[in-house]
Amino acid sequence: MSTVYTGNKEYFPGIGKIGYEGPASDNPLSFKFYDENKIVAGKSMKEHLRFAVAYWHTMTATGADPFGAGTIEREWNSNSDPLAAAEEKADAAFEFISKLGAPYYCFHDVDAAPDADSVSDYESNVAAVGDMLLQRQKATGIKLLWNTANLFSHPRYMNGAATNPDFRVLARGAAQIKAMLDLNVKLGGENYVFWGGREGYTQLFNTDMKRELEHMARFLEIARDYGRRIGFTGTFLIEPKPMEPSKHQYDSDAAAVIGFLKTYGLDGDFKLNIEGNHATLAGKSFAHDLQVAADAGLLGSIDANRGDPQNGWDTDQFPTDVYDAVSAMLVVLGNSGLHTGGLNFDAHIRRNSTDLEDLFHAHIGGMDSFALALEIAQTIMDRGLVKRYRDARYENFNSGTGARFEKGELTLEELRNIAAENKDIPRISGKQELIENLINQIMFSR
Ligand code: XLS
Ligand code: NI
Ligand code: NI
């Protein structure tokens, strides 16, 4: 996919296809580290990283915040006819993504298609926009990583969708999911995402949490069965987030979602979409939640972004912290990759980044950071660095009584007797500082 797409009008004039020029280039509109065809451990960077552009941020964000109106105006959002505007937005999106050279995109229903109160008007908008997207996918080779239904912005969802105490609202949410699953199959989507927007609560006095969670499980089961029936063969993904907008979000972190999926027997079809800033809001690190998901065999995909260490909200910044990205890529490589998932830039430029080209700088920075991180993480893996020190710490479980413990062959009395024989237990260093130094050495002198 090296062609650049332009529709009836060029929305990013003066910017061509972003190419790889290497770290010495002084052209800001070029990749310094992301060389899509470069082979790293048998796979191209493009195949490893599977970058996606998020429609809701990149095509619709205006920079508005709770204190002020938007600062960013986009030509493609100015048409007063909603379907014509949707088509202009689709043109701008595919122009942008094709110039950037990202292989995938992601969207919510209402990012791409005009919303409507009646289900049938909504469905006809979705069908019309679906044709527009399919046509542009075919013209460019850009593919759908995932889509999703926005069940949190409309006022009807003030108490959630699947967990809303009003059944009629739940059913309305289901109508959007049906339309999005139909569209996913039409567009050949590789995953389908559920982010539990307002699935949560603020006060137990008026909330039957057990019943709401049972409703959520039933809702997901019905959606899964429908998706499989119409031929969706990809991965269903749940995206954890601990707060914002509800005080208590049900899908609060990776561990909570895994517990939920296992409780309701949904772990055969659903995996996790881990977002960097959501993990840090949960008081975990990005790598921690990735590792929790990977260890359960449920690491599905990534929303690549970062928060701000001083702010306790979802700032959704572009991921430019290479150290953090290395920590993430070590987990991804240990998981043998992301399989049907990818790295979706669920991130938006800052309110004062008002130049059109800032959208390119943001994505170039995110892609370069993860490309660097991929190579560094692969070098760390090739040198067996983390593995060597990590494995060494558990060595006395490899044989003798330690190995028997792991096999479940020891009783509590036997453990007591082993303890009685081991009077002086030598301390084994965790070597944390040494490992950190070796990682820095690899980062800066590969
Ligand atoms: C919001 C979420 C959202 C999901 C998709 O915080 O990250 O953007 O990724 O609904
Ligand atoms: Ni997200
Ligand atoms: Ni977020």
Side-chain angles (χ1 to χ4, degrees):
M1 187 197 56
S2 56
T3 51
V4 158
Y5 170 88
T6 41
N8 290 327
K9 162 170 202 350
E10 195 173 13
Y11 290 97
F12 300 92
I15 299 178
K17 170 100 184 160
I18 307 297
Y20 169 74
E21 293 186 11
S25 167
D26 57 11
N27 172 11
L29 291 171
S30 71
F31 293 114
K32 313 299 175 299
F33 305 103
Y34 178 63
D35 179 1
E36 63 174 22
N37 297 318
K38 183 170 181 184
I39 302 294
V40 178
K43 270 201 296 191
S44 69
M45 282 191 163
K46 187 175 167 185
E47 291 166 317
H48 273 284
L49 298 165
R50 299 167 61 83
F51 288 124
V53 171
Y55 224 89
W56 56 102
H57 287 303
T58 301
M59 306 320 298
T60 70
T62 62
D65 71 10
F67 303 95
T71 53
I72 297 167
E73 278 142 40
R74 302 293 187 211
E75 212 179 329
W76 58 84
N77 284 332
S78 60
N79 199 317
S80 58
D81 170 359
L83 276 175
E87 181 143 34
E88 289 176 20
K89 198 196 280 183
D91 270 343
F94 280 80
E95 181 188 329
F96 177 79
I97 304 166
S98 69
K99 286 182 168 176
L100 184 67
Y104 290 97
Y105 74 115
C106 300
F107 67 92
H108 298 83
D109 47 359
V110 299
D111 310 330
D115 201 358
D117 282 334
S118 96
V119 169
S120 53
D121 290 349
Y122 164 83
E123 286 170 343
S124 65
N125 287 346
V126 164
V129 171
D131 291 337
M132 298 173 195
L133 295 174
L134 184 59
Q135 201 190 334
R136 285 158 183 79
Q137 281 187 205
K138 285 186 180 151
T140 58
I142 294 165
K143 293 180 282 182
L144 179 64
L145 185 66
W146 52 262
N147 64 331
T148 183
N150 177 327
L151 305 184
F152 45 90
S153 294
H154 192 282
R156 77 172 75 89
Y157 297 120
M158 67 178 184
N159 291 313
T163 64
N164 198 299
D166 186 338
F167 171 66
R168 295 166 302 180
V169 179
L170 179 152
R172 184 59 172 73
Q176 281 177 243
I177 291 190
K178 178 184 174 296
M180 282 304 102
L181 285 169
D182 289 339
L183 184 54
N184 183 295
V185 171
K186 174 170 165 162
L187 298 178
E190 299 188 20
N191 308 270
Y192 183 85
V193 163
F194 294 86
W195 168 57
R198 293 183 196 272
E199 313 296 8
Y201 74 93
T202 51
Q203 177 52 272
L204 273 182
F205 296 154
N206 66 3
T207 302
D208 186 338
M209 182 156 60
K210 182 165 188 285
R211 201 165 180 187
E212 291 196 1
L213 283 167
E214 284 164 3
H215 291 171
M216 187 157 84
R218 180 72 70 212
F219 188 89
L220 292 172
E221 195 181 275
I222 292 171
R224 184 237 5 233
D225 291 348
Y226 179 76
R228 294 302 183 217
R229 209 157 60 230
I230 63 168
F232 172 70
T233 54
T235 313
F236 290 103
L237 298 169
I238 310 249
E239 181 178 324
K241 183 176 181 179
M243 59 188 84
E244 255 195 24
S246 296
K247 174 170 164 55
H248 293 285
Q249 293 282 138
Y250 290 137
D251 298 328
S252 54
D253 67 1
V257 173
I258 291 166
F260 170 84
L261 292 175
K262 289 193 186 287
T263 302
Y264 293 101
L266 293 166
D267 50 321
D269 294 276
F270 288 80
K271 289 187 173 176
L272 275 63
N273 182 37
I274 301 294
E275 177 164 325
N277 201 168
H278 295 181
T280 53
L281 283 176
K284 312 283 160 47
S285 68
F286 184 18
H288 171 89
D289 258 23
L290 290 169
Q291 190 70 60
V292 169
D295 287 347
L298 296 176
L299 175 55
S301 198
I302 292 180
D303 272 3
N305 67 9
R306 70 187 160 100
D308 181 299
Q310 278 84 45
N311 282 347
W313 69 85
D314 201 16
T315 58
D316 285 344
Q317 287 165 247
F318 273 83
T320 50
D321 180 336
V322 177
Y323 200 87
D324 204 43
V326 169
S327 310
M329 287 310 296
L330 280 170
V331 183
V332 170
L333 292 174
N335 190 56
S336 314
L338 287 168
H339 309 279
T340 67
L343 287 164
N344 168 46
F345 291 114
D346 191 349
H348 60 88
I349 53 176
R350 298 303 91 189
R351 178 176 161 76
N352 55 2
S353 297
T354 48
D355 289 343
L356 197 56
E357 65 169 32
D358 292 329
L359 280 178
F360 280 94
H361 296 312
H363 287 80
I364 288 169
M367 291 162 83
D368 270 343
S369 298
F370 270 93
L372 258 176
L374 165 66
E375 292 204 275
I376 293 165
Q378 187 60 51
T379 307
I380 293 171
M381 301 280 277
D382 291 344
R383 299 200 191 158
L385 171 62
V386 167
K387 190 176 174 344
R388 178 168 1 115
Y389 289 102
R390 192 189 273 159
D391 289 354
R393 300 185 70 208
Y394 301 91
E395 211 171 66
N396 57 29
F397 284 96
N398 292 345
S399 58
T401 48
R404 291 187 57 213
F405 164 81
E406 281 196 346
K407 287 191 203 125
E409 291 173 1
L410 296 184
T411 64
L412 197 61
E413 297 93 311
E414 286 169 317
L415 288 173
R416 183 254 160 223
N417 294 340
I418 292 164
E421 283 161 26
N422 280 323
K423 275 184 225 77
D424 294 312
I425 304 174
R427 281 183 278 271
I428 301 173
S429 168
K431 291 283 169 231
Q432 179 169 330
E433 295 79 6
L434 170 62
I435 301 168
E436 288 168 349
N437 293 352
L438 293 169
I439 288 178
N440 273 351
Q441 195 181 353
I442 289 179
M443 278 187 78
F444 298 104
S445 62
R446 269 169 302 134

